[in-house]
Amino acid sequence: MESVQQMIAGVGYDKVTFSMETKVYPVIWHEDRVLLIDQTRLSHEYAIVEIKRYEDMARAIATMIVRGAPAIGIAAAYGMYLGARDIQKSDRHGFLAELQGVAEILGNTRPTAVNLFWAIERMLKTARETSVSVSEIPQVLLAEAQKIQTEDLNTCQAIGDHGLAVLPKTPEQLNILTHCNTGSLATAGYGTALGVIRSCKAAQRLGRVYADETRPRLQGAKLTTWECVQDQIPVTLIADNMAAHCMKLGLIHAAIVGADRIAANGDTANKIGTYNVALVARAHNIPFFVAAPLSTVDFRLQSGEGIPIEERDPKEVYQIGSTTICPPGVEFYNPAFDVTPAELITAIITEHGAVAPGDLKNLMVHQPS
């Protein structure tokens, strides 16, 4: 197989200049198929999953083989192409009707991540508005998926640079707490919150990353620490319930997290446990930042009360590996996300700059269509 560098050149990655090298690309288009890093096997095993059908892409998104709001959007965009490629209808109306069915299947996989629906709708709009023949629509959609992917790389680089600009000026070497995974694995290859950390390291301002383990799926332990090790970023893993203690000891200077959906008022849905981090950061007078592309902002929702919260298999709570950790008869509750109120957020960092949550509306002019 070709090197990663050779494969990514085909989708324009070679046109992006990074402030520091990144080695992880979770979604790669290669020889008429999608290659996904299987994130359910990290950090013990690095494995690639080949996706050739949109149904398999839907399954990969639902089972978190691919995860992170931007990466899910990119994967779904390629899923739309794969679905379009297999449609046999020759008339435009019939073709678009079947493509709508593909969109619904992909859209039902992860209800909270707004990038999923943004990417799907962008692909549908492209199919509806293109003037090419029906037989040529799939190739137009492939080009659009590749464009979405390349745009995300540039977006994350801009988020990293804007985030660096608003970090505390002292101390010179910052220790940053993050929750869940918001790096290359969650995006096209640089990261949102972890992208800010990468930019911080490139500017020689990073002391250390403190990574929450992120129960129950342990994305912080399995994914964030893995990425940090790959890129030689100093990292210390802590249990989720250690954040307040570390802040009290003065070990944390800032907290940066990602987002799966942001309401118009700045209320932010992110991986379960993020709300806890925001509360303890406020209690210790530590800035709490949300880093996300503007496509994650859902201006149709006035507040976080309207954000749907996905509930996942309770097995994630009562099992670790194949071992059940609680007695029979226990009931379970397993929300995948929580909503952090805007008043706990110091700033929301986007590719168009960092703003206070109350000023988010000023960025509507830049909202992707």
Side-chain angles (χ1 to χ4, degrees), residues 34 53-55 57-58 61 73-87 95-96 98-107 116-117 119-128 137-138 141-142 145 148:
V34 183
R53 302 166 61 248
Y54 83 91
E55 296 94 339
M57 184 63 83
I61 295 171
I74 294 164
Y78 280 116
M80 289 290 288
Y81 161 71
L82 293 173
R85 185 181 64 182
D86 292 338
I87 294 174
F95 181 94
L96 292 176
E98 288 203 18
L99 189 63
Q100 181 66 45
V102 172
E104 290 173 3
I105 290 172
L106 288 166
L116 171 69
F117 304 101
I120 290 171
E121 184 54 39
R122 177 167 163 175
M123 295 293 282
L124 284 172
K125 182 179 179 182
T126 298
R128 295 188 195 109
I137 291 178
L141 292 180
L142 175 59
I148 289 171

Side-chain angles (χ1 to χ4, degrees), residues 155-175:
T155 291
C156 287
Q157 177 69 69
I159 289 171
D161 293 343
H162 288 302
L164 175 63
V166 297
L167 290 177
K169 302 306 178 186
T170 58
E172 180 62 28
Q173 298 293 299
L174 295 172
N175 292 342

Side-chain angles (χ1 to χ4, degrees), residues 7 29 35 69 99 116 199 210 242 277 310 354:
M7 287 188 283
W29 177 254
L35 305 180
L99 189 63
L116 171 69
S199 294
Y210 281 82
M242 297 177 187
V277 174
E310 173 188 358

Side-chain angles (χ1 to χ4, degrees), residues 84-147:
R85 185 181 64 182
D86 292 338
I87 294 174
Q88 300 299 314
K89 299 286 186 180
S90 58
D91 65 293
R92 184 172 292 271
H93 179 76
F95 181 94
L96 292 176
E98 288 203 18
L99 189 63
Q100 181 66 45
V102 172
E104 290 173 3
I105 290 172
L106 288 166
N108 286 331
T109 55
R110 301 295 305 276
T112 302
V114 72
N115 296 67
L116 171 69
F117 304 101
W118 169 81
I120 290 171
E121 184 54 39
R122 177 167 163 175
M123 295 293 282
L124 284 172
K125 182 179 179 182
T126 298
R128 295 188 195 109
E129 295 181 356
T130 184
S131 59
V132 303
S133 66
V134 171
S135 64
E136 295 174 300
I137 291 178
Q139 287 305 308
V140 172
L141 292 180
L142 175 59
E144 191 68 17
Q146 292 173 323
K147 184 178 179 181

Side-chain angles (χ1 to χ4, degrees), residues 29-49:
W29 177 254
H30 183 61
E31 294 182 352
D32 216 32
R33 68 197 193 283
V34 183
L35 305 180
L36 301 177
I37 295 176
D38 188 345
Q39 298 187 37
T40 65
R41 301 188 191 185
L42 292 174
S43 58
H44 300 297
E45 179 185 0
Y46 182 90
I48 298 294
V49 176

Side-chain angles (χ1 to χ4, degrees), residues 3-17:
S3 69
V4 169
Q5 286 73 23
Q6 289 172 314
M7 287 188 283
I8 63 178
V11 293
Y13 285 74
D14 55 330
K15 301 174 184 176
V16 182
T17 301

